[in-house]
Amino acid sequence: MLHDDFASSTPRPGSRRTTVFAAAGLACVCLTVAGCGGDGGPAPGGGSAASAPPKRSASPSAAPRSGKPLPRGPLSGRTVVIDPGHNPGNRDHTREIGRQVDIGTARKECDTTGTATDSGYPEARFTLDVSRRLRTLLEKQGAKVVLTQDGDRPYGPCIDERARIGNEAGADAVVSVHADGSARGNRGFHVILPAAVRGGGADTSKIVTPSRELGERIAGNFVRVTGSAASNYIGGDTGLDTRKDLGGLNLSTVPKVFIECGNMRDPEDAALLTSGDWRQKAALGIAGGVSSYLKR
């Protein structure tokens, strides 16, 4: 796999099989657009380490693109940070993204290029598209939305900066959007939750419980809105996986989860991930989970 914060996926023991479906019952929420409807081992990819840290090329964008005030809605006063995994420009900056950064308990590469479908559709394009759709849905409900990158910087941000953006925004919830790069035949989505980690600059003790609730609600909505099944290769069919080796989670001080929306290297999943209609459903599923969590 080619993820920032990620290494090859291996099946892990999961919670009870019913977790996703119980969460779906908790999280039914109507959205304004489409009715009622969310790093084990060293990180792969990258290049040689750089001697100087990369420059921040742009600040995260929080303002609605229209420049108009946000509408009043059920999420007014709430801040959501959306983290589109990778950056389409990372492939042209392997030296910069290969630089090692501190994730609290270890050091990892700043970022990676991400994976792609066999036909060449890159994960970085997928994550940015879904994240923009998700932003629109949440802003319609009154939420202030911050993207860690919006195609407005040549590469990155690094995984430690991605966590810092959420922390500095005082986010009520952070969602990192990804798609997996596993073996053919491995299908379905899963939501990654932070494990209890304490060491160096990492301390997830205050976010483990709320992050799990956020993740369960996103998983429940995602399976209901998209029709996709929970992963058949990670999480014991629950759609949930707990990790202690992801810098984006380890360094977060606010509730945060990752979602792997499907496996780009499986032809059946790839057909979904490359469909604009399905990406809208994915955004609706994630938005429903976030909204349900924030309105609980």
Side-chain angles (χ1 to χ4, degrees):
M1 293 170 64
L2 300 174
H3 294 301
D4 61 317
D5 256 0
F6 281 84
S8 298
S9 300
T10 53
R12 295 172 178 81
S15 306
R16 292 180 303 166
R17 185 184 186 92
T18 57
T19 302
V20 166
F21 306 100
L26 288 172
C28 185
V29 57
C30 291
L31 300 177
T32 56
V33 173
C36 189
D39 335 352
S48 59
S51 59
K55 298 182 292 183
R56 296 191 192 185
S57 303
S59 298
S61 174
R65 284 137 299 141
S66 66
K68 298 178 181 179
L70 290 167
R72 293 294 302 173
L75 301 185
S76 292
R78 298 299 194 126
T79 298
V80 180
V81 170
I82 304 171
D83 178 26
H86 316 289
N87 182 319
N90 280 0
R91 65 182 63 251
D92 299 320
H93 294 86
T94 55
R95 177 177 172 82
E96 291 89 346
I97 67 170
R99 182 177 66 89
Q100 296 283 304
V101 299
D102 186 3
I103 67 166
T105 56
R107 295 186 69 81
K108 280 194 160 182
E109 291 173 346
C110 157
D111 202 356
T112 68
T113 60
T115 188
T117 65
D118 289 344
S119 64
Y121 178 63
E123 180 187 1
R125 279 182 55 196
F126 169 84
T127 64
L128 193 54
D129 182 71
V130 172
S131 295
R132 287 169 171 167
R133 294 170 188 264
L134 177 56
R135 172 176 60 190
T136 297
L137 293 167
L138 294 173
E139 285 182 346
K140 285 180 179 291
Q141 297 188 73
K144 173 185 176 182
V145 179
V146 177
L147 264 63
T148 60
Q149 58 95 5
D150 193 11
D152 52 358
R153 54 189 296 163
Y155 60 89
C158 294
I159 55 178
D160 56 341
E161 184 183 350
R162 290 174 185 269
R164 188 163 59 250
I165 290 168
N167 297 344
E168 292 178 352
D172 297 291
V174 183
V175 181
S176 188
V177 180
H178 286 266
D180 210 353
S182 189
R184 180 182 291 240
N186 289 344
R187 296 201 60 199
F189 77 93
H190 63 280
V191 178
I192 305 175
L193 314 174
V197 171
R198 190 167 187 175
D203 184 356
T204 62
S205 57
K206 293 182 180 179
I207 69 164
V208 168
T209 298
S211 295
R212 172 167 283 274
E213 183 170 357
L214 172 63
E216 288 176 347
R217 288 175 182 265
I218 289 175
N221 272 270
F222 198 85
V223 70
R224 181 172 55 79
V225 176
T226 66
S228 293
S231 170
N232 64 5
Y233 61 102
I234 284 178
D237 295 322
T238 66
L240 302 173
D241 185 37
T242 301
R243 301 280 294 272
K244 63 181 180 180
D245 57 340
L246 306 185
L249 296 180
N250 288 359
L251 297 176
S252 184
T253 59
V254 293
K256 181 174 182 177
V257 299
F258 283 49
I259 180 166
E260 296 280 3
C261 296
N263 176 19
M264 300 198 94
R265 306 313 296 270
D266 176 81
E268 293 182 76
D269 270 11
L272 299 176
L273 297 165
T274 54
S275 162
D277 288 343
W278 188 88
R279 291 196 299 273
Q280 182 66 16
K281 291 180 181 179
L284 281 162
I286 299 169
V290 172
S291 179
S292 173
Y293 169 78
L294 295 178
K295 293 190 294 186
R296 72 199 190 284

